[in-house]
Amino acid sequence: MHVGNARYLKPDDLPSVIPVFPLTGALLLPGGQLPLNIFEPRYLSMFDDVLAGSRLIGMVQPVFGDHVVSDPSSEAPALCQVGCIGRITSFAETGDGRYITSLTGVCRYRLISEVRSGKAYRSFKIAPFISDLSGTDDERGVDREALLSAFRAYLEANKLEADWESVERASNTTLVNSMSMMSPYGPAEKQALLEAPDLKTRAETLIAITEIVLARNFGDVDTRLQ
C-alpha cells in the first residue's frame, strides 16, 4: 500500500501501538480519504505527536451494540474492535487553534489491548489486517450493475444528483469504497461495511443496506431498483 510518501508492505512497516481517534459514524477504508476538523485539546496533542513521528492514527468508532473492547475498571468509553489506520496526508492550521487534516486509509486493524501512555489520548496495541496492504481487491465479484442501480434509486428517492461521468469511469474498488465512506448511514451500518471481509461482500452489504433504507423510508424498493 502506497500512501502519501510512505509504503506499507509488511507488518514491520507499521507500529505495534498506535493512538486512536474515536469518532462515531466516521468510516475510513484502505485507500480512502477522510477529512477531519480537529479542535479538542487532547486530539490536537495527539496530532502534534504523530506528525513528529509515524503520521499514523487509528480511526475507530465508540462502542455500540455488542462490539465491546474495554477495561471494566476504566471510565473511558468502550471502542469497536475493528478500525482503520490512517496516515496524515494533508494538514493545515486555521489560526484559531484548529487543525484541518485529511487521513488516507492504510489498512484495517483489530484492537488487542490498551497501552497506558500517560497522554490525554488513548493508545492501543493492534493487530493489522495485513491482507489490506496488498492494495489489490478482486473487483470481478462486484455486481456493478446492482450497485449502480441501488445508488441511482437512493439519489432519485432523495432528489440528489451525481457526476455520472466520474461514476462510470471509477473502478469497482473506488466505487464501492467511496460510496461506503460517503453513505449517510448509521454507526452499525458503517461498522458492517468496514468489517466486510472483501470488496464483493462490502458491495453486497452496501446494496442490502440501501435497499432496507429505501424500503423503510419510501416503500416499493423493487420498483425503484429496476
Side-chain angles (χ1 to χ4, degrees), residues 21 34-39 43-44 47 51 88-103:
F21 187 4
L34 180 65
L36 293 172
N37 179 10
I38 310 300
F39 54 88
Y43 296 124
L44 291 170
F47 272 73
L51 281 168
I88 299 174
T89 49
S90 175
F91 172 84
E93 296 178 314
T94 62
D96 61 1
R98 294 177 294 120
Y99 292 159
I100 303 298
T101 73
S102 179
L103 299 183

mmCIF file with all atom_site columns, all heavy atoms in Angstrom, residues 21 34-39 43-44 47 51 88-103:
data_model
loop_
_atom_site.group_PDB
_atom_site.id
_atom_site.type_symbol
_atom_site.label_atom_id
_atom_site.label_alt_id
_atom_site.label_comp_id
_atom_site.label_asym_id
_atom_site.label_entity_id
_atom_site.label_seq_id
_atom_site.pdbx_PDB_ins_code
_atom_site.Cartn_x
_atom_site.Cartn_y
_atom_site.Cartn_z
_atom_site.occupancy
_atom_site.B_iso_or_equiv
_atom_site.pdbx_formal_charge
_atom_site.auth_seq_id
_atom_site.auth_comp_id
_atom_site.auth_asym_id
_atom_site.auth_atom_id
_atom_site.pdbx_PDB_model_num
ATOM 1   N N   . PHE A 1 21  ? -8.346  7.544  17.513 1.00 0.00 ? 21  PHE A N   1
ATOM 2   C CA  . PHE A 1 21  ? -9.247  8.687  17.474 1.00 0.00 ? 21  PHE A CA  1
ATOM 3   C C   . PHE A 1 21  ? -10.672 8.146  17.355 1.00 0.00 ? 21  PHE A C   1
ATOM 4   O O   . PHE A 1 21  ? -11.110 7.787  16.273 1.00 0.00 ? 21  PHE A O   1
ATOM 5   C CB  . PHE A 1 21  ? -8.897  9.572  16.268 1.00 0.00 ? 21  PHE A CB  1
ATOM 6   C CG  . PHE A 1 21  ? -9.657  10.877 16.204 1.00 0.00 ? 21  PHE A CG  1
ATOM 7   C CD1 . PHE A 1 21  ? -10.532 11.253 17.208 1.00 0.00 ? 21  PHE A CD1 1
ATOM 8   C CD2 . PHE A 1 21  ? -9.476  11.729 15.131 1.00 0.00 ? 21  PHE A CD2 1
ATOM 9   C CE1 . PHE A 1 21  ? -11.220 12.453 17.147 1.00 0.00 ? 21  PHE A CE1 1
ATOM 10  C CE2 . PHE A 1 21  ? -10.151 12.940 15.051 1.00 0.00 ? 21  PHE A CE2 1
ATOM 11  C CZ  . PHE A 1 21  ? -11.030 13.305 16.062 1.00 0.00 ? 21  PHE A CZ  1
ATOM 12  N N   . LEU A 1 34  ? -10.306 10.704 4.369  1.00 0.00 ? 34  LEU A N   1
ATOM 13  C CA  . LEU A 1 34  ? -11.224 11.166 5.410  1.00 0.00 ? 34  LEU A CA  1
ATOM 14  C C   . LEU A 1 34  ? -10.774 12.528 5.921  1.00 0.00 ? 34  LEU A C   1
ATOM 15  O O   . LEU A 1 34  ? -9.742  12.644 6.584  1.00 0.00 ? 34  LEU A O   1
ATOM 16  C CB  . LEU A 1 34  ? -11.259 10.158 6.565  1.00 0.00 ? 34  LEU A CB  1
ATOM 17  C CG  . LEU A 1 34  ? -12.194 10.508 7.734  1.00 0.00 ? 34  LEU A CG  1
ATOM 18  C CD1 . LEU A 1 34  ? -13.643 10.501 7.288  1.00 0.00 ? 34  LEU A CD1 1
ATOM 19  C CD2 . LEU A 1 34  ? -11.979 9.549  8.899  1.00 0.00 ? 34  LEU A CD2 1
ATOM 20  N N   . PRO A 1 35  ? -11.535 13.591 5.626  1.00 0.00 ? 35  PRO A N   1
ATOM 21  C CA  . PRO A 1 35  ? -11.198 14.913 6.171  1.00 0.00 ? 35  PRO A CA  1
ATOM 22  C C   . PRO A 1 35  ? -11.614 15.018 7.622  1.00 0.00 ? 35  PRO A C   1
ATOM 23  O O   . PRO A 1 35  ? -12.649 14.470 8.032  1.00 0.00 ? 35  PRO A O   1
ATOM 24  C CB  . PRO A 1 35  ? -12.010 15.863 5.282  1.00 0.00 ? 35  PRO A CB  1
ATOM 25  C CG  . PRO A 1 35  ? -13.182 15.050 4.824  1.00 0.00 ? 35  PRO A CG  1
ATOM 26  C CD  . PRO A 1 35  ? -12.699 13.627 4.716  1.00 0.00 ? 35  PRO A CD  1
ATOM 27  N N   . LEU A 1 36  ? -10.820 15.728 8.419  1.00 0.00 ? 36  LEU A N   1
ATOM 28  C CA  . LEU A 1 36  ? -11.102 15.890 9.843  1.00 0.00 ? 36  LEU A CA  1
ATOM 29  C C   . LEU A 1 36  ? -10.866 17.339 10.263 1.00 0.00 ? 36  LEU A C   1
ATOM 30  O O   . LEU A 1 36  ? -9.923  17.984 9.787  1.00 0.00 ? 36  LEU A O   1
ATOM 31  C CB  . LEU A 1 36  ? -10.212 14.970 10.686 1.00 0.00 ? 36  LEU A CB  1
ATOM 32  C CG  . LEU A 1 36  ? -10.428 13.460 10.566 1.00 0.00 ? 36  LEU A CG  1
ATOM 33  C CD1 . LEU A 1 36  ? -9.323  12.726 11.315 1.00 0.00 ? 36  LEU A CD1 1
ATOM 34  C CD2 . LEU A 1 36  ? -11.799 13.061 11.102 1.00 0.00 ? 36  LEU A CD2 1
ATOM 35  N N   . ASN A 1 37  ? -11.727 17.807 11.169 1.00 0.00 ? 37  ASN A N   1
ATOM 36  C CA  . ASN A 1 37  ? -11.577 19.124 11.788 1.00 0.00 ? 37  ASN A CA  1
ATOM 37  C C   . ASN A 1 37  ? -11.239 18.876 13.256 1.00 0.00 ? 37  ASN A C   1
ATOM 38  O O   . ASN A 1 37  ? -12.089 18.461 14.037 1.00 0.00 ? 37  ASN A O   1
ATOM 39  C CB  . ASN A 1 37  ? -12.889 19.904 11.637 1.00 0.00 ? 37  ASN A CB  1
ATOM 40  C CG  . ASN A 1 37  ? -12.831 21.277 12.274 1.00 0.00 ? 37  ASN A CG  1
ATOM 41  O OD1 . ASN A 1 37  ? -11.766 21.748 12.683 1.00 0.00 ? 37  ASN A OD1 1
ATOM 42  N ND2 . ASN A 1 37  ? -13.965 21.923 12.395 1.00 0.00 ? 37  ASN A ND2 1
ATOM 43  N N   . ILE A 1 38  ? -9.992  19.103 13.636 1.00 0.00 ? 38  ILE A N   1
ATOM 44  C CA  . ILE A 1 38  ? -9.516  18.758 14.971 1.00 0.00 ? 38  ILE A CA  1
ATOM 45  C C   . ILE A 1 38  ? -9.523  20.002 15.854 1.00 0.00 ? 38  ILE A C   1
ATOM 46  O O   . ILE A 1 38  ? -8.893  21.012 15.520 1.00 0.00 ? 38  ILE A O   1
ATOM 47  C CB  . ILE A 1 38  ? -8.082  18.179 14.922 1.00 0.00 ? 38  ILE A CB  1
ATOM 48  C CG1 . ILE A 1 38  ? -7.994  17.065 13.866 1.00 0.00 ? 38  ILE A CG1 1
ATOM 49  C CG2 . ILE A 1 38  ? -7.669  17.669 16.291 1.00 0.00 ? 38  ILE A CG2 1
ATOM 50  C CD1 . ILE A 1 38  ? -8.908  15.898 14.110 1.00 0.00 ? 38  ILE A CD1 1
ATOM 51  N N   . PHE A 1 39  ? -10.236 19.917 17.002 1.00 0.00 ? 39  PHE A N   1
ATOM 52  C CA  . PHE A 1 39  ? -10.308 21.084 17.881 1.00 0.00 ? 39  PHE A CA  1
ATOM 53  C C   . PHE A 1 39  ? -10.191 20.732 19.363 1.00 0.00 ? 39  PHE A C   1
ATOM 54  O O   . PHE A 1 39  ? -9.864  21.596 20.171 1.00 0.00 ? 39  PHE A O   1
ATOM 55  C CB  . PHE A 1 39  ? -11.607 21.861 17.645 1.00 0.00 ? 39  PHE A CB  1
ATOM 56  C CG  . PHE A 1 39  ? -12.845 21.008 17.772 1.00 0.00 ? 39  PHE A CG  1
ATOM 57  C CD1 . PHE A 1 39  ? -13.464 20.819 18.987 1.00 0.00 ? 39  PHE A CD1 1
ATOM 58  C CD2 . PHE A 1 39  ? -13.382 20.392 16.647 1.00 0.00 ? 39  PHE A CD2 1
ATOM 59  C CE1 . PHE A 1 39  ? -14.602 20.041 19.103 1.00 0.00 ? 39  PHE A CE1 1
ATOM 60  C CE2 . PHE A 1 39  ? -14.519 19.606 16.748 1.00 0.00 ? 39  PHE A CE2 1
ATOM 61  C CZ  . PHE A 1 39  ? -15.132 19.420 17.980 1.00 0.00 ? 39  PHE A CZ  1
ATOM 62  N N   . TYR A 1 43  ? -6.834  15.802 21.247 1.00 0.00 ? 43  TYR A N   1
ATOM 63  C CA  . TYR A 1 43  ? -6.573  15.314 19.890 1.00 0.00 ? 43  TYR A CA  1
ATOM 64  C C   . TYR A 1 43  ? -5.647  16.253 19.120 1.00 0.00 ? 43  TYR A C   1
ATOM 65  O O   . TYR A 1 43  ? -4.926  15.818 18.218 1.00 0.00 ? 43  TYR A O   1
ATOM 66  C CB  . TYR A 1 43  ? -7.889  15.067 19.157 1.00 0.00 ? 43  TYR A CB  1
ATOM 67  C CG  . TYR A 1 43  ? -8.681  13.964 19.823 1.00 0.00 ? 43  TYR A CG  1
ATOM 68  C CD1 . TYR A 1 43  ? -9.974  14.168 20.269 1.00 0.00 ? 43  TYR A CD1 1
ATOM 69  C CD2 . TYR A 1 43  ? -8.095  12.719 20.065 1.00 0.00 ? 43  TYR A CD2 1
ATOM 70  C CE1 . TYR A 1 43  ? -10.677 13.161 20.920 1.00 0.00 ? 43  TYR A CE1 1
ATOM 71  C CE2 . TYR A 1 43  ? -8.781  11.708 20.709 1.00 0.00 ? 43  TYR A CE2 1
ATOM 72  C CZ  . TYR A 1 43  ? -10.070 11.939 21.135 1.00 0.00 ? 43  TYR A CZ  1
ATOM 73  O OH  . TYR A 1 43  ? -10.751 10.942 21.790 1.00 0.00 ? 43  TYR A OH  1
ATOM 74  N N   . LEU A 1 44  ? -5.650  17.535 19.481 1.00 0.00 ? 44  LEU A N   1
ATOM 75  C CA  . LEU A 1 44  ? -4.622  18.429 18.953 1.00 0.00 ? 44  LEU A CA  1
ATOM 76  C C   . LEU A 1 44  ? -3.245  17.937 19.395 1.00 0.00 ? 44  LEU A C   1
ATOM 77  O O   . LEU A 1 44  ? -2.293  17.914 18.599 1.00 0.00 ? 44  LEU A O   1
ATOM 78  C CB  . LEU A 1 44  ? -4.862  19.856 19.436 1.00 0.00 ? 44  LEU A CB  1
ATOM 79  C CG  . LEU A 1 44  ? -6.087  20.580 18.869 1.00 0.00 ? 44  LEU A CG  1
ATOM 80  C CD1 . LEU A 1 44  ? -6.332  21.879 19.629 1.00 0.00 ? 44  LEU A CD1 1
ATOM 81  C CD2 . LEU A 1 44  ? -5.902  20.860 17.377 1.00 0.00 ? 44  LEU A CD2 1
ATOM 82  N N   . PHE A 1 47  ? -2.291  14.789 17.402 1.00 0.00 ? 47  PHE A N   1
ATOM 83  C CA  . PHE A 1 47  ? -1.823  15.087 16.052 1.00 0.00 ? 47  PHE A CA  1
ATOM 84  C C   . PHE A 1 47  ? -0.428  15.711 16.085 1.00 0.00 ? 47  PHE A C   1
ATOM 85  O O   . PHE A 1 47  ? 0.390   15.430 15.199 1.00 0.00 ? 47  PHE A O   1
ATOM 86  C CB  . PHE A 1 47  ? -2.830  15.984 15.319 1.00 0.00 ? 47  PHE A CB  1
ATOM 87  C CG  . PHE A 1 47  ? -3.898  15.215 14.607 1.00 0.00 ? 47  PHE A CG  1
ATOM 88  C CD1 . PHE A 1 47  ? -4.909  14.601 15.308 1.00 0.00 ? 47  PHE A CD1 1
ATOM 89  C CD2 . PHE A 1 47  ? -3.874  15.072 13.228 1.00 0.00 ? 47  PHE A CD2 1
ATOM 90  C CE1 . PHE A 1 47  ? -5.897  13.869 14.669 1.00 0.00 ? 47  PHE A CE1 1
ATOM 91  C CE2 . PHE A 1 47  ? -4.849  14.350 12.573 1.00 0.00 ? 47  PHE A CE2 1
ATOM 92  C CZ  . PHE A 1 47  ? -5.865  13.742 13.293 1.00 0.00 ? 47  PHE A CZ  1
ATOM 93  N N   . LEU A 1 51  ? 2.503   13.762 14.041 1.00 0.00 ? 51  LEU A N   1
ATOM 94  C CA  . LEU A 1 51  ? 3.164   14.499 12.962 1.00 0.00 ? 51  LEU A CA  1
ATOM 95  C C   . LEU A 1 51  ? 4.676   14.480 13.132 1.00 0.00 ? 51  LEU A C   1
ATOM 96  O O   . LEU A 1 51  ? 5.422   14.540 12.151 1.00 0.00 ? 51  LEU A O   1
ATOM 97  C CB  . LEU A 1 51  ? 2.660   15.953 12.918 1.00 0.00 ? 51  LEU A CB  1
ATOM 98  C CG  . LEU A 1 51  ? 1.309   16.172 12.248 1.00 0.00 ? 51  LEU A CG  1
ATOM 99  C CD1 . LEU A 1 51  ? 0.800   17.581 12.534 1.00 0.00 ? 51  LEU A CD1 1
ATOM 100 C CD2 . LEU A 1 51  ? 1.410   15.949 10.732 1.00 0.00 ? 51  LEU A CD2 1
ATOM 101 N N   . ILE A 1 88  ? -1.683  10.765 7.993  1.00 0.00 ? 88  ILE A N   1
ATOM 102 C CA  . ILE A 1 88  ? -1.941  12.181 7.735  1.00 0.00 ? 88  ILE A CA  1
ATOM 103 C C   . ILE A 1 88  ? -1.262  12.557 6.420  1.00 0.00 ? 88  ILE A C   1
ATOM 104 O O   . ILE A 1 88  ? -0.030  12.542 6.312  1.00 0.00 ? 88  ILE A O   1
ATOM 105 C CB  . ILE A 1 88  ? -1.404  13.061 8.870  1.00 0.00 ? 88  ILE A CB  1
ATOM 106 C CG1 . ILE A 1 88  ? -2.081  12.707 10.192 1.00 0.00 ? 88  ILE A CG1 1
ATOM 107 C CG2 . ILE A 1 88  ? -1.621  14.541 8.550  1.00 0.00 ? 88  ILE A CG2 1
ATOM 108 C CD1 . ILE A 1 88  ? -1.509  13.436 11.390 1.00 0.00 ? 88  ILE A CD1 1
ATOM 109 N N   . THR A 1 89  ? -2.057  12.863 5.406  1.00 0.00 ? 89  THR A N   1
ATOM 110 C CA  . THR A 1 89  ? -1.511  13.220 4.095  1.00 0.00 ? 89  THR A CA  1
ATOM 111 C C   . THR A 1 89  ? -1.798  14.667 3.722  1.00 0.00 ? 89  THR A C   1
ATOM 112 O O   . THR A 1 89  ? -1.337  15.145 2.681  1.00 0.00 ? 89  THR A O   1
ATOM 113 C CB  . THR A 1 89  ? -2.072  12.293 3.007  1.00 0.00 ? 89  THR A CB  1
ATOM 114 O OG1 . THR A 1 89  ? -3.500  12.198 3.127  1.00 0.00 ? 89  THR A OG1 1
ATOM 115 C CG2 . THR A 1 89  ? -1.481  10.889 3.135  1.00 0.00 ? 89  THR A CG2 1
ATOM 116 N N   . SER A 1 90  ? -2.576  15.352 4.561  1.00 0.00 ? 90  SER A N   1
ATOM 117 C CA  . SER A 1 90  ? -2.836  16.778 4.361  1.00 0.00 ? 90  SER A CA  1
ATOM 118 C C   . SER A 1 90  ? -3.029  17.404 5.722  1.00 0.00 ? 90  SER A C   1
ATOM 119 O O   . SER A 1 90  ? -3.669  16.814 6.602  1.00 0.00 ? 90  SER A O   1
ATOM 120 C CB  . SER A 1 90  ? -4.088  16.976 3.498  1.00 0.00 ? 90  SER A CB  1
ATOM 121 O OG  . SER A 1 90  ? -4.415  18.350 3.385  1.00 0.00 ? 90  SER A OG  1
ATOM 122 N N   . PHE A 1 91  ? -2.480  18.607 5.894  1.00 0.00 ? 91  PHE A N   1
ATOM 123 C CA  . PHE A 1 91  ? -2.509  19.221 7.217  1.00 0.00 ? 91  PHE A CA  1
ATOM 124 C C   . PHE A 1 91  ? -2.438  20.736 7.069  1.00 0.00 ? 91  PHE A C   1
ATOM 125 O O   . PHE A 1 91  ? -1.626  21.257 6.299  1.00 0.00 ? 91  PHE A O   1
ATOM 126 C CB  . PHE A 1 91  ? -1.336  18.720 8.054  1.00 0.00 ? 91  PHE A CB  1
ATOM 127 C CG  . PHE A 1 91  ? -1.167  19.420 9.364  1.00 0.00 ? 91  PHE A CG  1
ATOM 128 C CD1 . PHE A 1 91  ? -1.904  19.021 10.470 1.00 0.00 ? 91  PHE A CD1 1
ATOM 129 C CD2 . PHE A 1 91  ? -0.270  20.466 9.505  1.00 0.00 ? 91  PHE A CD2 1
ATOM 130 C CE1 . PHE A 1 91  ? -1.755  19.660 11.689 1.00 0.00 ? 91  PHE A CE1 1
ATOM 131 C CE2 . PHE A 1 91  ? -0.110  21.114 10.719 1.00 0.00 ? 91  PHE A CE2 1
ATOM 132 C CZ  . PHE A 1 91  ? -0.858  20.709 11.816 1.00 0.00 ? 91  PHE A CZ  1
ATOM 133 N N   . ALA A 1 92  ? -3.322  21.445 7.783  1.00 0.00 ? 92  ALA A N   1
ATOM 134 C CA  . ALA A 1 92  ? -3.289  22.910 7.770  1.00 0.00 ? 92  ALA A CA  1
ATOM 135 C C   . ALA A 1 92  ? -3.745  23.440 9.116  1.00 0.00 ? 92  ALA A C   1
ATOM 136 O O   . ALA A 1 92  ? -4.625  22.860 9.760  1.00 0.00 ? 92  ALA A O   1
ATOM 137 C CB  . ALA A 1 92  ? -4.180  23.457 6.662  1.00 0.00 ? 92  ALA A CB  1
ATOM 138 N N   . GLU A 1 93  ? -3.138  24.550 9.545  1.00 0.00 ? 93  GLU A N   1
ATOM 139 C CA  . GLU A 1 93  ? -3.554  25.244 10.750 1.00 0.00 ? 93  GLU A CA  1
ATOM 140 C C   . GLU A 1 93  ? -4.526  26.349 10.364 1.00 0.00 ? 93  GLU A C   1
ATOM 141 O O   . GLU A 1 93  ? -4.337  27.031 9.352  1.00 0.00 ? 93  GLU A O   1
ATOM 142 C CB  . GLU A 1 93  ? -2.347  25.821 11.479 1.00 0.00 ? 93  GLU A CB  1
ATOM 143 C CG  . GLU A 1 93  ? -1.383  24.760 11.998 1.00 0.00 ? 93  GLU A CG  1
ATOM 144 C CD  . GLU A 1 93  ? -0.178  25.374 12.680 1.00 0.00 ? 93  GLU A CD  1
ATOM 145 O OE1 . GLU A 1 93  ? 0.406   26.320 12.114 1.00 0.00 ? 93  GLU A OE1 1
ATOM 146 O OE2 . GLU A 1 93  ? 0.173   24.903 13.771 1.00 0.00 ? 93  GLU A OE2 1
ATOM 147 N N   . THR A 1 94  ? -5.552  26.556 11.192 1.00 0.00 ? 94  THR A N   1
ATOM 148 C CA  . THR A 1 94  ? -6.596  27.523 10.842 1.00 0.00 ? 94  THR A CA  1
ATOM 149 C C   . THR A 1 94  ? -6.341  28.916 11.398 1.00 0.00 ? 94  THR A C   1
ATOM 150 O O   . THR A 1 94  ? -6.961  29.878 10.953 1.00 0.00 ? 94  THR A O   1
ATOM 151 C CB  . THR A 1 94  ? -7.951  27.046 11.391 1.00 0.00 ? 94  THR A CB  1
ATOM 152 O OG1 . THR A 1 94  ? -7.871  26.965 12.820 1.00 0.00 ? 94  THR A OG1 1
ATOM 153 C CG2 . THR A 1 94  ? -8.311  25.679 10.822 1.00 0.00 ? 94  THR A CG2 1
ATOM 154 N N   . GLY A 1 95  ? -5.454  29.036 12.394 1.00 0.00 ? 95  GLY A N   1
ATOM 155 C CA  . GLY A 1 95  ? -5.221  30.327 13.018 1.00 0.00 ? 95  GLY A CA  1
ATOM 156 C C   . GLY A 1 95  ? -6.072  30.551 14.249 1.00 0.00 ? 95  GLY A C   1
ATOM 157 O O   . GLY A 1 95  ? -5.838  31.500 15.011 1.00 0.00 ? 95  GLY A O   1
ATOM 158 N N   . ASP A 1 96  ? -7.086  29.706 14.451 1.00 0.00 ? 96  ASP A N   1
ATOM 159 C CA  . ASP A 1 96  ? -7.932  29.830 15.639 1.00 0.00 ? 96  ASP A CA  1
ATOM 160 C C   . ASP A 1 96  ? -7.817  28.600 16.533 1.00 0.00 ? 96  ASP A C   1
ATOM 161 O O   . ASP A 1 96  ? -8.699  28.313 17.335 1.00 0.00 ? 96  ASP A O   1
ATOM 162 C CB  . ASP A 1 96  ? -9.392  30.078 15.254 1.00 0.00 ? 96  ASP A CB  1
ATOM 163 C CG  . ASP A 1 96  ? -9.992  28.945 14.420 1.00 0.00 ? 96  ASP A CG  1
ATOM 164 O OD1 . ASP A 1 96  ? -9.270  27.958 14.149 1.00 0.00 ? 96  ASP A OD1 1
ATOM 165 O OD2 . ASP A 1 96  ? -11.172 29.035 14.044 1.00 0.00 ? 96  ASP A OD2 1
ATOM 166 N N   . GLY A 1 97  ? -6.706  27.878 16.389 1.00 0.00 ? 97  GLY A N   1
ATOM 167 C CA  . GLY A 1 97  ? -6.442  26.752 17.271 1.00 0.00 ? 97  GLY A CA  1
ATOM 168 C C   . GLY A 1 97  ? -6.877  25.399 16.758 1.00 0.00 ? 97  GLY A C   1
ATOM 169 O O   . GLY A 1 97  ? -6.690  24.388 17.440 1.00 0.00 ? 97  GLY A O   1
ATOM 170 N N   . ARG A 1 98  ? -7.426  25.355 15.543 1.00 0.00 ? 98  ARG A N   1
ATOM 171 C CA  . ARG A 1 98  ? -7.870  24.080 14.989 1.00 0.00 ? 98  ARG A CA  1
ATOM 172 C C   . ARG A 1 98  ? -6.884  23.583 13.931 1.00 0.00 ? 98  ARG A C   1
ATOM 173 O O   . ARG A 1 98  ? -6.095  24.351 13.386 1.00 0.00 ? 98  ARG A O   1
ATOM 174 C CB  . ARG A 1 98  ? -9.250  24.223 14.332 1.00 0.00 ? 98  ARG A CB  1
ATOM 175 C CG  . ARG A 1 98  ? -10.376 24.537 15.289 1.00 0.00 ? 98  ARG A CG  1
ATOM 176 C CD  . ARG A 1 98  ? -11.707 24.729 14.551 1.00 0.00 ? 98  ARG A CD  1
ATOM 177 N NE  . ARG A 1 98  ? -11.680 25.899 13.696 1.00 0.00 ? 98  ARG A NE  1
ATOM 178 C CZ  . ARG A 1 98  ? -11.854 25.882 12.379 1.00 0.00 ? 98  ARG A CZ  1
ATOM 179 N NH1 . ARG A 1 98  ? -12.063 24.744 11.747 1.00 0.00 ? 98  ARG A NH1 1
ATOM 180 N NH2 . ARG A 1 98  ? -11.820 27.010 11.677 1.00 0.00 ? 98  ARG A NH2 1
ATOM 181 N N   . TYR A 1 99  ? -6.966  22.279 13.652 1.00 0.00 ? 99  TYR A N   1
ATOM 182 C CA  . TYR A 1 99  ? -6.242  21.681 12.539 1.00 0.00 ? 99  TYR A CA  1
ATOM 183 C C   . TYR A 1 99  ? -7.259  21.139 11.534 1.00 0.00 ? 99  TYR A C   1
ATOM 184 O O   . TYR A 1 99  ? -8.233  20.484 11.927 1.00 0.00 ? 99  TYR A O   1
ATOM 185 C CB  . TYR A 1 99  ? -5.370  20.509 12.998 1.00 0.00 ? 99  TYR A CB  1
ATOM 186 C CG  . TYR A 1 99  ? -4.194  20.873 13.881 1.00 0.00 ? 99  TYR A CG  1
ATOM 187 C CD1 . TYR A 1 99  ? -3.611  19.916 14.705 1.00 0.00 ? 99  TYR A CD1 1
ATOM 188 C CD2 . TYR A 1 99  ? -3.657  22.157 13.887 1.00 0.00 ? 99  TYR A CD2 1
ATOM 189 C CE1 . TYR A 1 99  ? -2.530  20.217 15.519 1.00 0.00 ? 99  TYR A CE1 1
ATOM 190 C CE2 . TYR A 1 99  ? -2.575  22.475 14.696 1.00 0.00 ? 99  TYR A CE2 1
ATOM 191 C CZ  . TYR A 1 99  ? -2.021  21.514 15.510 1.00 0.00 ? 99  TYR A CZ  1
ATOM 192 O OH  . TYR A 1 99  ? -0.955  21.821 16.316 1.00 0.00 ? 99  TYR A OH  1
ATOM 193 N N   . ILE A 1 100 ? -7.032  21.404 10.286 1.00 0.00 ? 100 ILE A N   1
ATOM 194 C CA  . ILE A 1 100 ? -7.817  20.791 9.199  1.00 0.00 ? 100 ILE A CA  1
ATOM 195 C C   . ILE A 1 100 ? -6.916  19.765 8.547  1.00 0.00 ? 100 ILE A C   1
ATOM 196 O O   . ILE A 1 100 ? -5.875  20.121 7.975  1.00 0.00 ? 100 ILE A O   1
ATOM 197 C CB  . ILE A 1 100 ? -8.291  21.833 8.169  1.00 0.00 ? 100 ILE A CB  1
ATOM 198 C CG1 . ILE A 1 100 ? -9.113  22.927 8.857  1.00 0.00 ? 100 ILE A CG1 1
ATOM 199 C CG2 . ILE A 1 100 ? -9.101  21.157 7.074  1.00 0.00 ? 100 ILE A CG2 1
ATOM 200 C CD1 . ILE A 1 100 ? -10.373 22.430 9.522  1.00 0.00 ? 100 ILE A CD1 1
ATOM 201 N N   . THR A 1 101 ? -7.274  18.521 8.655  1.00 0.00 ? 101 THR A N   1
ATOM 202 C CA  . THR A 1 101 ? -6.402  17.456 8.165  1.00 0.00 ? 101 THR A CA  1
ATOM 203 C C   . THR A 1 101 ? -7.172  16.484 7.288  1.00 0.00 ? 101 THR A C   1
ATOM 204 O O   . THR A 1 101 ? -8.407  16.472 7.255  1.00 0.00 ? 101 THR A O   1
ATOM 205 C CB  . THR A 1 101 ? -5.772  16.662 9.324  1.00 0.00 ? 101 THR A CB  1
ATOM 206 O OG1 . THR A 1 101 ? -6.781  15.842 9.928  1.00 0.00 ? 101 THR A OG1 1
ATOM 207 C CG2 . THR A 1 101 ? -5.200  17.585 10.383 1.00 0.00 ? 101 THR A CG2 1
ATOM 208 N N   . SER A 1 102 ? -6.422  15.660 6.596  1.00 0.00 ? 102 SER A N   1
ATOM 209 C CA  . SER A 1 102 ? -7.009  14.578 5.812  1.00 0.00 ? 102 SER A CA  1
ATOM 210 C C   . SER A 1 102 ? -6.193  13.315 6.058  1.00 0.00 ? 102 SER A C   1
ATOM 211 O O   . SER A 1 102 ? -4.959  13.351 6.022  1.00 0.00 ? 102 SER A O   1
ATOM 212 C CB  . SER A 1 102 ? -7.006  14.916 4.319  1.00 0.00 ? 102 SER A CB  1
ATOM 213 O OG  . SER A 1 102 ? -7.567  13.853 3.564  1.00 0.00 ? 102 SER A OG  1
ATOM 214 N N   . LEU A 1 103 ? -6.888  12.224 6.345  1.00 0.00 ? 103 LEU A N   1
ATOM 215 C CA  . LEU A 1 103 ? -6.243  10.934 6.519  1.00 0.00 ? 103 LEU A CA  1
ATOM 216 C C   . LEU A 1 103 ? -6.473  10.083 5.282  1.00 0.00 ? 103 LEU A C   1
ATOM 217 O O   . LEU A 1 103 ? -7.562  10.099 4.693  1.00 0.00 ? 103 LEU A O   1
ATOM 218 C CB  . LEU A 1 103 ? -6.814  10.188 7.722  1.00 0.00 ? 103 LEU A CB  1
ATOM 219 C CG  . LEU A 1 103 ? -6.685  10.822 9.105  1.00 0.00 ? 103 LEU A CG  1
ATOM 220 C CD1 . LEU A 1 103 ? -7.263  9.883  10.159 1.00 0.00 ? 103 LEU A CD1 1
ATOM 221 C CD2 . LEU A 1 103 ? -5.247  11.161 9.423  1.00 0.00 ? 103 LEU A CD2 1
#
